[in-house]
Structures are given as C-alpha cells and as structure tokens.
Amino acid sequence: MMYNIIVVICKKINIFFKIDYCTCNKTAKGNRMKKTDLKNQLTQNVSYYSLFIIIESCIAIWFVMFNLANNGVPLNTLMLDPPAQLNDYFMHFGYASAPLGSNIYEISNNTVFPPFSYLMYGILARMTGYTAEDPANIRSHYRVGNNLTIYFIFTIICIFLMAYAISLYIKKKGFVSQVVFPCVLIVSYPFAFSTIQRGNSVLVVAVLLSIALVWRNDESKLKRELAMVLIAVCAGLKIYPALFGLLYIKEKRIPEAIRLVFYGAFVFFAPFVFWGGIDGFKMFLSRAFTLNTEVHRCTFSGVFNAAVEKLGGTVNPAVTNIVLQAFLVLSVAAFFVCKEKWGGVLLLASLMAVYVSSGWMYTCIYILPALLMFFAETSGREEKSLVDRLTDILVFVLFIVVFSIPYKLDYMFIYDTIVFIDCIYIVKSITMFVYSFFQKNKA
C-alpha cells in the first residue's frame, strides 16, 4: 500500500519536474521501495528552480486563502497606497500628452524621467488621441476614452515578453515552466503588489534587461547588436541600467562597449528634440541633481539608518552617505572579481534596486534577471566548495523572499534581505579573490 502511494506521488512529481520514478526499485519482497533509491531520485532531479516553484506556489495559495478568510484586508494592507493605484503610469502619461516640441520639464516638478521615457508615454497617449487639459490631474486621465485599455494592453505585452524571457533561461518545456512559473512571478510582491499596481515602467526595464542578457551572448550577430540596443533603451527609460555596460568591460568586449555607449548617448539625447531641446536638457539636469533627497526606508540608506536606530545609535546623514558610497565601490569591485555570472548580474541589479536613496518599493523587480540567470546556471547538484554551496543557499533564500508575499505583510523585510545578503555576497567574492590571489603568489 505504502509503495503504491509513493509511486503515485512520484508520478505526479514526474509530470511536473521530469523525475524518473520508474527506476526506483522494489525489494525482493516486491512491496517496498528502497529509501536510498528514492532519495537518489529526488536529490538528482529536484533543483533550486523546482524548490522555488513549490515554495512560492504554497505561499501564493496560502495568501489567497488567508486573504479570503480576512475579507481582503491582507491584500489591501500589502498594496502600495491603494488610492494611488496606476498613478506612476497615468501621471507621466498625462505629461507626455503635451504637444511635441514643448518643454515637458516645465509642466511639473514631477517630470523627472529622461526624455525617451516620455517619448514612450507620448506614443501611448497618442494611440488614443488624448491630450490632457490638466496634466497634473492624474485621476482625470483614467476616465477618458480608452486610456485605461491602452495601459492593460501595454502591461499584457510586457507579461508576454516576460514569458519569452523565461523561455530563454529555462529550457524545460511543459505546464510548470510555461504557465506555473510565470504565474508565480506575476502574483509576487514585485509584480502584482507594487509594479503593476502602481503602473511603473520598471516592469519594462526588468523584462527587456532579462532578454538582453541572453541575446548579448547569442551566436546571431543581429541579436548581439539588439542586446546593446535594449540595454540602451532601458538606460533611456531609467538611467540606472547603464550599469550593465560594465559586463562588456569585464569581458573585455571593448568594441561592443563603445557601440553601447553610442547607442546609449543617442537614446538619451535624441528625444530632447521632442521635449524642449537644449532648455529641456538643462531643466532635466537641474531636476536630476535636486531630486527628492528624502531617504526612503526601502533603499540601502534607509536599511542602514533603520539598523543604526535599532542598535540604539543616532542617524548621521554624512556617515550614511559615506557608507552608501562604500557600498557602491565594493559592489562594483565585487562585480569584477566574482566568478559566477549570475553573481555579477545580482550585484548590478541590487545597485539598481537599493542604491538610489529616493527609490520606491517596486525597485526590487530589478532582481528578475539575476533570478533567471541563477536558475539557468545553478541546479544545486554541481560539485562546489562548502563556501559556494552556502552562498548559493543564501542567494536562493534572497530570491524566495523577494519574489513572494512579504513576511508579516511587511515589504521592508524584502529590502532588508536584499541589502543583508548582498553584503554577504560582496564580502565572499572579494575575500575569495584575495585568497586565490595570495595562493597564486605563493605557488
């Protein structure tokens, strides 16, 4: 009886994770499965990717039941400022509906994005022929024509692009990889509860970067070139993705790095033609340097200040800034010496997520490319040192925390985890590099 139950369970696992239950042998008595055989089958086939899907699916199901049992209170508690839903999208959508050639940076102090970003929003606004009478009246943009429909179509396209990005990293085919995994990501905090709810363009950036990081090593010359264009486009939307140009420098692909700089400069400067020209450029620079200096809790500075206060200390902005710049320098240094490809992407993505002190709660979605690359390169069955295995486990825990429902419905827990584990990975990478350097010199 027990054997039959175990076989049924293994069959179900096989459907999802391709475990070969048939090789699990019965004993001579014919009624029991060898424990060692079952253990070997499970350890050889259950990877970090499989565990991620199992754990996150359970968390998602639990949250749905918990939310229904509490009449929707947990969901409303977790959502980013429910009255401001879709504000990030419709705010800039309204600004970008202004006539081409006008100085968009004169409209409001909230026009802080690079001009290429407003070019994207402008195209979406013109799809419906919309021109805002009062661009600052965000709520009025929802109710006019098909503006809301265009947002939904735009978001659905981004989700399909995400599914394509997943297929580039996860080569397995089937229901789990093509349906369950994308759904698990979509219902996680970075997607459903912050980015999509607020309508922020970080979703576009995270998805396009994920695609570019695969295409940049493709055999096709066209795709390698398009990868640089995508990175330039991402930098044109949010600036921070320009960090990923360091990948080309690290790999000594200098000609491509130079072309990437050219693409980036074109994407950044050319759209000023549509949004105020030289005057628009001057206002953008002025606004960029005087941008909100408030330190948000969901950033490195916010996490550091919270830790200082927790330990009974007094927050000193000068000290916080010194520690922040040290974090930047050490992250870049660790990026150049770390041996894992996913590790380098994680370090750059983490800088995008937590470095800017005025960042907001949806920036953790930038971790998406690192998550996909980790699953593509790490199964948990490779021959590794104890230090590397412990590092993999810690980073896996980071991904579990980021792409799930926050512990106690507190999203700050996500950013605390990002900063903590990121610092551990930085120390590990630099320490291992220094150790190997001295070992080579001794030899």
Side-chain angles (χ1 to χ4, degrees), residues 197-246:
Q197 188 265 357
R198 199 63 178 254
N200 196 277
S201 58
V202 291
L203 174 62
V204 186
V205 173
V207 170
L208 293 184
L209 269 180
S210 299
I211 295 173
L213 292 178
V214 175
W215 281 5
R216 63 185 291 273
N217 294 316
D218 197 272
E219 294 180 358
S220 167
K221 185 177 179 180
L222 176 61
K223 284 187 177 179
R224 292 199 302 272
E225 209 68 25
L226 285 175
M228 291 183 280
V229 172
L230 288 181
I231 294 173
V233 165
C234 291
L237 290 171
K238 286 291 186 179
I239 297 181
Y240 318 130
L243 282 169
F244 281 84
L246 294 175

Side-chain angles (χ1 to χ4, degrees), residues 41-286:
Q41 285 298 310
L42 293 176
T43 54
Q44 287 173 12
N45 292 279
V46 178
S47 62
Y48 284 124
Y49 170 68
S50 304
L51 287 174
F52 179 87
I53 294 176
I54 293 170
I55 294 171
E56 298 293 24
S57 297
C58 290
I59 292 174
I61 292 170
W62 165 82
F63 180 76
V64 169
M65 296 173 65
F66 179 60
N67 187 60
L68 291 174
N70 289 274
N71 199 30
V73 173
L75 186 144
N76 291 324
T77 300
L78 193 57
M79 281 291 186
L80 257 180
D81 189 14
Q85 59 183 321
L86 305 186
N87 267 18
D88 285 15
Y89 175 82
F90 279 107
M91 177 192 299
H92 301 287
F93 178 90
Y95 298 150
S97 68
L100 293 179
S102 60
N103 188 346
I104 197 169
Y105 297 99
E106 291 180 337
I107 296 176
S108 168
N109 290 332
N110 290 321
T111 50
V112 295
F113 291 164
F116 184 80
S117 186
Y118 289 111
L119 192 60
M120 178 189 75
Y121 286 114
I123 291 172
L124 293 172
R126 282 157 181 77
M127 290 291 290
T128 63
Y130 179 66
T131 301
E133 294 181 4
D134 181 9
N137 187 356
I138 300 171
R139 309 302 293 183
S140 67
H141 311 325
Y142 290 58
R143 299 186 290 270
V144 178
N146 291 302
N147 290 350
L148 193 57
T149 303
I150 287 295
Y151 169 75
F152 288 138
I153 293 172
F154 180 66
T155 303
I156 291 169
I157 290 172
C158 288
I159 290 173
F160 273 101
L161 286 174
M162 185 192 74
Y164 170 70
I166 290 173
S167 71
L168 296 177
Y169 292 87
I170 310 298
K171 300 302 182 183
K172 295 179 181 179
K173 303 297 181 184
F175 182 74
V176 168
S177 296
Q178 295 174 319
V179 178
V180 177
F181 184 48
C183 286
V184 163
L185 290 180
I186 290 169
V187 300
S188 68
Y189 177 81
F191 282 85
F193 295 97
S194 55
T195 303
I196 294 176
Q197 188 265 357
R198 199 63 178 254
N200 196 277
S201 58
V202 291
L203 174 62
V204 186
V205 173
V207 170
L208 293 184
L209 269 180
S210 299
I211 295 173
L213 292 178
V214 175
W215 281 5
R216 63 185 291 273
N217 294 316
D218 197 272
E219 294 180 358
S220 167
K221 185 177 179 180
L222 176 61
K223 284 187 177 179
R224 292 199 302 272
E225 209 68 25
L226 285 175
M228 291 183 280
V229 172
L230 288 181
I231 294 173
V233 165
C234 291
L237 290 171
K238 286 291 186 179
I239 297 181
Y240 318 130
L243 282 169
F244 281 84
L246 294 175
L247 287 167
Y248 291 93
I249 296 175
K250 181 180 179 179
E251 297 170 5
K252 299 179 180 179
R253 295 161 64 172
I254 305 304
E256 289 173 286
I258 294 172
R259 292 204 301 280
L260 178 57
V261 170
F262 172 79
Y263 292 141
F266 178 80
V267 170
F268 179 79
F269 288 108
F272 277 110
V273 172
F274 303 103
W275 301 122
I278 295 176
D279 290 338
F281 175 67
K282 290 179 179 177
M283 287 194 70
F284 171 78
L285 285 184
S286 174

Side-chain angles (χ1 to χ4, degrees), residues 78 189 297 406-414 416:
L78 193 57
Y189 177 81
R297 176 65 175 79
Y407 175 66
K408 292 185 178 180
L409 304 183
D410 181 8
Y411 63 84
M412 298 305 179
F413 182 67
I414 291 177
D416 292 341

